[in-house]
Amino acid sequence: MSKIMVVGASGTIGRAVADLLGQTHQVIRVGNRQGDYTVDLSLKASIENVFKKIGSIDATICAAGLSRFGKLGEASDDDFLFSINNKLMGQVNLVRIAQQHVSPNGSITVTTGLLAREPWPGTVPTAMVNAALEGFVRAAALDAPSGIRINAVSPILVTETATKMGMDTAGTMSAVETAKAYQSCLTGDMTGQVLDVRAFGKVD
Ligand SMILES: NC(=O)c1ccc[n+]([C@@H]2O[C@H](COP(=O)([O-])OP(=O)(O)OC[C@H]3O[C@@H](n4cnc5c(N)ncnc54)[C@H](OP(=O)(O)O)[C@@H]3O)[C@@H](O)[C@H]2O)c1
């Protein structure tokens, strides 16, 4: 049994990931306001602090990272900076700190999103940070120490999220199906990859 830290474990995707992996591993649930431990991804010191508290682990999975939508002509400086500080630098810093704490041959997984490669109109800040994060993962994996693997999962619109937002659920994927890609990051031998969830789970 491995010791796995799941950041965002109270969220739509993170809860499904923590529940799935919790069947066979020791899962430490981390959130912003709730969980076994709390962290604020937008603050590097907060990430350092939570790793110090938890100690050594075999894997870190992040299914958190806030970002904003916005049209090219309408997204504000704050929309860009917020998305950079949270979804991008939050997860970049998580990887930078996690690689000092994850055991040899362990695994680090972050979350990007379909919009990096298949953007919708009005999604500029989110599409931008997703694409940047994917570039980071490909390069960071080349430098990772002690056989540590670094990958990203790219979810499509999650069914539960679409329902919450009153959107059409056709072509979405449930959180439980989405979680399968995170499990593959843990059990597989890939590194520097961006896993498209559609290759691992069933689309509604
Ligand atoms: N849902 C989708 O359709 C979808 C599609 C593509 C990509 N994604 C990406 O998948 C990731 C998770 O999305 P989700 O919809 O599952 O999120 P969600 O349901 O909104 O849950 C967010 C999770 O992140 C935690 N969190 C919020 N702010 C945080 C902070 N500053 N520091 C650390 N943790 C924080 C929350 O903790 P608390 O509950 O304790 O506040 C919660 O556990 C995001 O990066 C999102 O962009 C989602």
Side-chain angles (χ1 to χ4, degrees), residues 7-14 30-34 39-42 63-67 86-87 91 111-114 155-158 161 164 182:
V7 181
S10 52
T12 310
I13 295 174
V30 180
N32 184 225
R33 298 161 301 172
Q34 54 195 314
V39 68
D40 184 348
L41 277 180
S42 68
L66 300 172
S67 63
N86 283 274
K87 185 157 187 179
Q91 295 195 89
T111 298
T112 162
L114 179 70
I156 62 172
L157 180 61
V158 174
T161 304
K164 210 183 300 172
Y182 293 84

Side-chain angles (χ1 to χ4, degrees), residues 73-149:
E74 293 170 10
S76 65
D77 290 352
D78 189 55
D79 291 331
F80 282 101
L81 273 180
F82 179 89
S83 304
I84 290 168
N85 289 336
N86 283 274
K87 185 157 187 179
L88 178 57
M89 287 313 299
Q91 295 195 89
V92 166
N93 285 332
L94 185 81
V95 172
R96 293 170 69 205
I97 297 163
Q99 53 107 23
Q100 300 164 11
H101 294 269
V102 167
S103 56
N105 304 314
S107 161
I108 304 173
T109 306
V110 295
T111 298
T112 162
L114 179 70
L115 297 172
R117 296 179 199 202
E118 298 176 36
W120 303 339
T123 60
V124 174
T126 293
M128 178 189 78
V129 295
N130 282 348
L133 187 61
E134 294 186 1
F136 167 79
V137 163
R138 281 190 281 270
L142 301 175
D143 297 336
S146 315
I148 293 173
R149 298 179 300 102

Side-chain angles (χ1 to χ4, degrees), residues 39-71:
V39 68
D40 184 348
L41 277 180
S42 68
L43 301 173
K44 194 173 170 205
S46 172
I47 303 172
E48 283 166 339
N49 195 34
V50 77
F51 274 100
K52 266 188 209 135
K53 283 186 190 159
I54 293 174
S56 69
I57 46 173
D58 299 305
T60 299
I61 294 173
C62 183
L66 300 172
S67 63
R68 292 189 184 150
F69 284 3
K71 285 183 185 291

